[in-house]
């Protein structure tokens, strides 16, 4: 960063990115959090060489609370645990399973599935494929 950018780097909403490409909140938020905790964020930069940011936080005198009680994770529901209602009027309507648990046993292997997280482009590709393969019309 040049000297002017470095001088403003921790200002709220300051960004070197164009409109719509960033909010300028990152370093400002870190600086504010460090200050509230009695610490500091100190960025240092040499244009063409790189940037270094020191984050200093005070040592705590408090004793940590007792460790949380270990609980067994809840069982993941089986694919047959719920009921899905699909319009009897359109039995040929393609189905796309979209879930964080789309790989669960119990679902027919031929059902198209998209596992979370996914990108918008992935969803668009799946819908286009359903339209081609199943003659789907919206």
């Amino acid at each position: 960063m040049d000297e002017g950018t470095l001088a403003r780097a921790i200002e709220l909403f300051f960004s070197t990115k164009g409109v719509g490409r960033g909010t300028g909140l990152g370093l400002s938020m870190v600086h504010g959090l460090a200050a509230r905790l009695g610490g500091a964020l100190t960025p240092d930069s040499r244009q063409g060489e790189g940037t270094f940011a020191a984050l200093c936080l005070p040592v705590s005198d408090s004793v940590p609370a007792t460790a949380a009680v270990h609980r067994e994770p809840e069982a993941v529901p089986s694919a047959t645990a719920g009921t899905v209602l699909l319009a009897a009027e359109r039995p040929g309507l393609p189905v796309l399973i979209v879930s964080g648990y789309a790989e669960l046993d119990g679902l027919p292997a031929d059902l198209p599935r998209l596992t979370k997280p996914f990108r918008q482009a992935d969803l668009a590709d799946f819908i286009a494929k359903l339209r081609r393969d199943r003659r789907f019309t919206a």
Side-chain angles (χ1 to χ4, degrees):
M1 290 184 264
D2 61 33
E3 288 183 28
T5 301
L6 179 60
R8 299 189 62 200
I10 59 174
E11 287 180 15
L12 187 60
F13 300 118
F14 175 74
S15 178
T16 58
K17 299 175 185 175
V19 175
R21 297 205 170 253
T23 60
L25 291 173
L27 288 177
S28 178
M29 290 180 69
V30 172
H31 169 72
L33 177 61
R36 280 192 300 276
L37 295 172
L41 172 69
T42 310
D44 186 28
S45 186
R46 303 281 186 276
Q47 192 168 3
E49 294 180 28
T51 301
F52 175 84
L55 177 61
C56 299
L57 298 173
V59 174
S60 175
D61 293 329
S62 65
V63 177
T66 57
V69 176
H70 176 73
R71 294 183 352 181
E72 291 298 318
E74 294 182 24
V76 175
S78 71
T80 59
T83 302
V84 178
L85 301 176
L86 300 173
E89 297 173 5
R90 297 178 68 187
L93 184 68
V95 175
L96 172 61
I97 303 298
V98 178
S99 171
Y101 302 104
E103 70 284 347
L104 288 176
D105 293 334
L107 292 175
D110 62 337
L111 279 179
R113 38 189 102 207
L114 184 59
T115 304
K116 294 178 186 177
F118 58 89
R119 297 175 299 134
Q120 186 174 357
D122 297 331
L123 178 59
D125 290 343
F126 262 93
I127 291 172
K129 183 177 185 321
L130 285 175
R131 285 182 174 166
R132 283 191 311 270
D133 295 351
R134 307 262 176 108
R135 295 169 185 42
F136 175 71
T137 55

